[in-house]
Amino acid sequence: MRIRAGIIPVLLTSVLCLGATANGQKYTYKSHIEHPIVHYKMSARLDPETKTVKGHYTLTWWNHTSDSIPDLYFHLYLNAFKNLDSTFMRESEERGRGGEEESDVKGPDRWGWVDVDKIQIAGGADLTALQTFVHPDDENAADQTVMRIALPQPIPPQGSIKLAVDFTSKLPHAVARNGFEGDYFLMVQWFPKIGVYEGAGERGRTTAGWNCHQYHANTEFYADYGTYDVDVTAPSNYVVGSTGVRRSEQKNSDGTTTYNYFQEDVHDFGWTACPEFVKVTRPFVWRDQVTPAELATWSRILNLPEDQIALRDISVTFLLRPTHTNVANRYFRSIFNGLKYFGLWYGQYPYDTMTVVDVPRNSATCCMEYPTFITVGTSFWPGEHGLSPEGVTVHEFGHQFWYGLVGNNEFEEAWLDEGFNTYSTGKVLEAAYGAGCNYERFLSMPVAATPWLSVDLPSFPFAKLGSIPVGSYFSCLPEPERTSGRGYFLDHAKIDNLVRNGWQYMNGSSYGVNSYTRVGLTLRMLESYLGTETMARVMRTYHQRWRYRHPATPDFIAVVNEVSGRNMDWFFQQFFYGSNLADYAVAEIHSDPIEGKVGLYGGPGKKQEFSEADAGAASHASVDKRYRSTVLVRRLGEAVAPVDVDVHFENGETVHEHWDGQYRWIRYVYERNSKVNSAEVDAEHKLVLDANYTNNSRVVGEDNRAAAKWYVRWIFWLENLFFAASYFS
């Protein structure tokens, strides 16, 4: 919700109850927004033959600011796929985004576009001829993803405008999680969508204006909250699903059916249609999923009464591919776990429905999130103990909270949804499933394996069947920590700062690392400094405070400092606004016997000489030998953070030191009757962004265990290689 400074959204006491829906479900959603910014009353008709949607809507848009607004800005996202000269396509070629923009389809069906056929003030001036394309982010005159219309009269402060819009959307062949494949259609970012007008002071703006960026290869979306009331018409043999609740359906004489969908307090609307979908609906009954003990535990941790921790029942619908019905139970369990844990931790999922689309295999339309509506994917034969499709399903559902309910600007601060969701998804998977297993594919069969080599198959008779993974077979090999990613350290740690406009990252890999992996790791590290329960209260407070609103990075930092009662600015300055590398190491350990007195001792006239031989004899005779030990710890990276250092002695004693990490190194000196035999910096791995854990510890003396371990692994790998080779001999 767009809110002026000092205005707090008020919970409406009235309940909008629209009676029974088409499937008999009652619509019980309670609106949480006092004054929506947008209200779309829309109709759309899908023509599968021409791959087009003809649409019309009336849009009521409210100016929540004290500004007089002279123009309107609209996103025309589908024009990103109009030709190769759009900013999206140019950046895709230059920076790369996994090849998803490539298409085997040639001719007109490859391309997508959206035309505003007519736009006028309802009952007033025709604005159609006033359309112009603008390019707020670059100088690409060929890009047509942002439209501006100068108004005959400005919209006054707190005033509204009502528009009537006719449009035609041509869907591209599946690209960037949009479009069609055969008779499967996914309509997302498919209509002319008004941008976000931000007043001075909102999200840190110094001057008011429209926030309406072009569609970039490395950005997603940003829109205001409001109401969508949409009539969708499709051939009657097509199964249709969408954002919101289906309130009615009407069969038409031309062989089509019109469905009405309705949803309040969302900032987008997506839908899908395909004749092959198998529709399966099950209820999420929250008291069957959450035990009284779990409810009591989170009531204590969050310091909230149990009625504020309680969840609500939800209708969950999957639109499955016919070959994936065997995975239905795993799919539903994934969504139920998401509803349970995200709800307990951050607050109940407020909507009545959740619709999940199982896309065709390897489809470019997978995987993505829209309000109450997500796309996911799997295979007909997933690994029994792997977390696929669980991982992607929980992740896409998690976006209902981080992006859906807390509506950050994904163009400018993608980390606030992708990174938060990476962190949250990892915690859900750990709580619900524990460690999963790594699986590789051999002739489409899942094999529990961690390969270190792939052996190409002979072209005959195995053409196009890929290769054989060679490694550890036939045992559950745990997947790494959900939020880990050594690629961040090896390739991308210093390329870009984390907080950055999405299209300004150097390439797609840097965007991915800094929006997903790095943030997940960084939030894990923040949790290790604050403590698990304090972090839980931070996340709950932030989510509840910014539901239906548009936060920015400083808003999260403010909540962290407030809830923790600590000034964590040093942490964010180091790890969010910078690209410095964290790397701490135990560099040296020395322990030398204290030999006793050697040289001249005493004052004037009383000097006494002690030789090395005297000292050695005394030391040899002593039963209480003493040693002077030194431990040198270094900060090899530029990032500064406090760390703990554990120093272990041969007699079993351990000394715990705490270093602020400010200077480049620190040396600890001990005089004891035991030598230091090892030391470790950050033994609890609080500093999860440490680029090199292998230098965090040092052991005195020769240790062949690591070499022995690698020797055994190499022998095992070679045996696998010879076994694979003999298979084809």
Side-chain angles (χ1 to χ4, degrees):
M1 178 180 180
R2 306 302 304 135
I3 297 172
R4 291 174 296 153
I7 300 296
I8 299 175
V10 179
L11 185 66
L12 290 183
T13 56
S14 61
V15 178
L16 178 62
C17 185
L18 297 170
T21 64
N23 58 10
Q25 176 194 343
K26 292 288 185 179
Y27 183 74
T28 61
Y29 182 79
K30 300 178 182 180
S31 176
H32 294 75
I33 297 179
E34 181 181 18
H35 200 320
I37 302 293
V38 298
H39 187 292
Y40 288 93
K41 173 60 180 172
M42 189 182 308
S43 62
R45 174 181 287 266
L46 171 66
D47 183 344
E49 294 299 319
T50 61
K51 314 295 191 292
T52 59
V53 174
K54 294 290 289 186
H56 169 82
Y57 65 71
T58 57
L59 165 65
T60 303
W61 184 85
W62 176 52
N63 174 12
H64 70 287
T65 73
S66 58
D67 302 332
S68 293
I69 301 177
D71 52 11
L72 296 173
Y73 278 65
F74 288 83
H75 291 287
L76 304 180
Y77 288 115
L78 281 181
N79 284 345
F81 316 118
K82 195 172 186 177
N83 53 55
L84 292 179
D85 280 322
S86 71
T87 292
F88 183 99
M89 289 297 188
R90 287 184 181 182
E91 291 178 350
S92 297
E93 181 179 0
E94 294 170 2
R95 304 179 189 182
R97 190 163 174 171
E100 67 181 4
E101 280 65 56
E102 295 298 326
S103 174
D104 294 331
V105 174
K106 306 301 179 183
D109 276 353
R110 175 182 178 182
W111 308 107
W113 43 263
V114 55
D115 285 344
V116 177
D117 303 316
K118 185 176 183 179
I119 180 169
Q120 69 180 94
I121 298 174
D126 190 330
L127 309 176
T128 309
L130 301 179
Q131 299 179 64
T132 59
F133 296 113
V134 294
H135 323 98
D137 305 327
D138 61 19
E139 300 300 324
N140 182 10
D143 188 80
Q144 297 181 347
T145 58
V146 177
M147 177 184 76
R148 175 182 179 268
I149 293 181
L151 296 172
Q153 298 292 330
I155 306 170
Q158 307 298 308
S160 297
I161 188 171
K162 189 172 185 179
L163 302 170
V165 180
D166 295 326
F167 64 94
T168 303
S169 296
K170 163 64 174 65
L171 301 170
H173 185 257
V175 55
R177 295 161 293 189
N178 201 328
F180 73 91
E181 290 186 45
D183 55 7
Y184 158 69
F185 294 86
L186 181 65
M187 279 64 66
V188 291
Q189 312 307 334
W190 57 285
F191 61 93
K193 184 160 60 172
I194 196 165
V196 176
Y197 188 87
E198 297 176 326
E202 294 188 71
R203 296 184 56 257
R205 287 189 76 119
T206 56
T207 59
W210 285 97
N211 194 304
C212 193
H213 293 291
Q214 296 160 242
Y215 196 0
H216 297 273
N218 288 333
T219 60
E220 292 180 357
F221 315 107
Y222 182 43
D224 273 317
Y225 289 91
T227 300
Y228 286 82
D229 184 352
V230 184
D231 291 327
V232 169
T233 300
S236 295
N237 65 318
Y238 275 60
V239 180
V240 175
S242 87
T243 293
V245 171
R246 181 186 291 183
R247 297 192 297 181
S248 66
E249 61 180 82
Q250 175 67 48
K251 290 192 177 296
N252 306 315
S253 59
D254 61 355
T256 64
T257 300
T258 299
Y259 309 91
N260 175 259
Y261 292 94
F262 184 88
Q263 187 60 62
E264 297 171 285
D265 301 352
V266 293
H267 50 59
D268 201 358
F269 184 94
W271 59 291
T272 187
C274 179
E276 293 185 356
F277 281 142
V278 178
K279 182 178 180 179
V280 183
T281 299
R282 296 178 188 174
F284 170 81
V285 181
W286 79 270
R287 290 193 181 277
D288 292 343
Q289 303 294 325
V290 179
T291 67
E294 289 174 314
L295 199 64
T297 295
W298 284 101
S299 174
R300 177 191 62 79
I301 291 173
L302 298 172
N303 194 27
L304 293 170
E306 288 191 8
D307 63 343
Q308 292 187 34
I309 306 296
L311 308 185
R312 64 198 301 268
D313 296 345
I314 308 296
S315 176
V316 178
T317 296
F318 270 86
L319 303 179
L320 297 168
R321 308 299 298 176
T323 56
H324 292 170
T325 55
N326 61 307
V327 192
N329 289 339
R330 292 179 64 167
Y331 265 145
F332 274 102
R333 185 186 173 200
S334 302
I335 292 293
F336 285 9
N337 279 322
L339 285 163
K340 171 182 176 177
Y341 289 106
F342 277 88
L344 287 174
W345 298 342
Y346 310 130
Q348 66 174 227
Y349 177 81
Y351 309 112
D352 286 338
T353 63
M354 183 71 235
T355 299
V356 187
V357 181
D358 173 36
V359 307
R361 184 181 181 187
N362 299 322
S363 173
T365 61
C366 185
C367 299
M368 193 57 187
E369 67 279 357
Y370 314 93
T372 80
F373 177 85
I374 61 176
T375 64
V376 299
T378 187
S379 65
F380 74 96
W381 191 356
E384 180 181 0
H385 302 291
L387 294 180
S388 174
E390 288 80 2
V392 68
T393 306
V394 172
H395 178 87
E396 299 307 337
F397 170 79
H399 278 302
Q400 299 302 307
F401 286 74
W402 308 121
Y403 142 91
L405 290 167
V406 177
N408 65 289
N409 186 333
E410 293 186 293
F411 287 96
E412 298 176 3
E413 296 176 298
W415 79 272
L416 283 174
D417 60 283
E418 297 295 359
F420 272 56
N421 200 27
T422 298
Y423 166 81
S424 302
T425 299
K427 295 185 74 69
V428 170
L429 294 176
E430 290 165 4
Y433 300 98
C437 301
N438 275 316
Y439 280 86
E440 289 297 316
R441 296 277 160 179
F442 174 61
L443 303 180
S444 297
M445 297 181 296
V447 180
T450 297
W452 62 278
L453 177 66
S454 291
V455 178
D456 291 334
L457 289 166
S459 58
F460 180 82
F462 304 104
K464 298 184 179 180
L465 293 180
S467 58
I468 305 174
V470 177
S472 303
Y473 281 132
F474 309 122
S475 61
C476 180
L477 297 157
E479 294 176 341
E481 183 182 352
R482 309 281 173 231
T483 52
S484 67
R486 302 311 294 179
Y488 156 67
F489 303 121
L490 298 177
D491 302 318
H492 306 293
K494 297 176 68 64
I495 290 178
D496 286 301
N497 293 344
L498 185 153
V499 180
R500 190 166 176 79
N501 290 332
W503 67 91
Q504 292 178 333
Y505 289 105
M506 189 177 78
N507 51 40
S509 295
S510 181
Y511 167 82
V513 164
N514 284 288
S515 298
Y516 294 76
T517 308
R518 179 177 175 183
V519 187
L521 290 168
T522 303
L523 291 176
R524 291 268 183 167
M525 188 165 72
L526 179 63
E527 179 181 331
S528 71
Y529 278 104
L530 298 182
T532 301
E533 294 191 0
T534 299
M535 185 67 171
R537 291 190 288 273
V538 165
M539 298 293 282
R540 175 83 175 208
T541 301
Y542 171 69
H543 184 91
Q544 290 294 314
R545 183 170 298 175
W546 288 97
R547 268 196 179 194
Y548 312 112
R549 300 170 67 192
H550 297 313
T553 301
D555 298 311
F556 176 65
I557 297 172
V559 171
V560 170
N561 290 343
E562 172 194 331
V563 174
S564 69
R566 299 162 60 180
N567 187 337
M568 298 297 292
D569 290 352
W570 66 268
F571 178 91
F572 293 100
Q573 194 60 44
Q574 287 283 317
F575 300 109
F576 283 36
Y577 290 103
S579 58
N580 289 341
L581 196 69
D583 189 8
Y584 285 76
V586 178
E588 297 177 6
I589 297 177
H590 295 291
S591 291
D592 298 309
I594 301 175
E595 297 290 356
K597 298 178 180 179
V598 177
L600 297 174
Y601 293 81
K606 298 181 180 180
K607 295 183 179 65
Q608 183 178 359
E609 182 178 2
F610 294 87
S611 67
E612 286 84 349
D614 295 331
S619 175
H620 184 74
S622 174
V623 295
D624 186 20
K625 295 183 179 179
R626 293 183 63 78
Y627 301 89
R628 181 176 293 108
S629 300
T630 61
V631 177
L632 177 65
V633 183
R634 295 181 60 188
R635 175 170 60 81
L636 302 178
E638 299 84 358
V640 177
V643 291
D644 296 318
V645 180
D646 293 342
V647 180
H648 305 287
F649 293 82
E650 289 181 345
N651 64 0
E653 179 185 4
T654 297
V655 175
H656 302 286
E657 306 283 5
H658 184 75
W659 179 32
D660 62 14
Q662 294 293 316
Y663 193 61
R664 280 291 187 176
W665 59 269
I666 189 170
R667 179 180 283 114
Y668 297 102
V669 180
Y670 309 95
E671 290 189 2
R672 281 174 165 73
N673 59 0
S674 181
K675 298 179 182 179
V676 171
N677 68 350
S678 68
E680 184 171 8
V681 58
D682 188 31
E684 296 181 6
H685 287 183
K686 292 181 179 180
L687 192 65
V688 296
L689 289 177
D690 194 307
N692 183 7
Y693 281 141
T694 64
N695 61 14
N696 282 35
S697 62
R698 182 173 289 268
V699 178
V700 175
E702 189 173 330
D703 188 346
N704 294 322
R705 288 175 294 177
K709 179 182 72 173
W710 278 102
Y711 171 78
V712 170
R713 290 187 68 179
W714 272 103
I715 291 296
F716 186 71
W717 288 338
L718 287 172
E719 287 177 347
N720 271 277
L721 177 61
F722 293 140
F723 174 80
S726 66
Y727 180 83
F728 298 103
S729 61

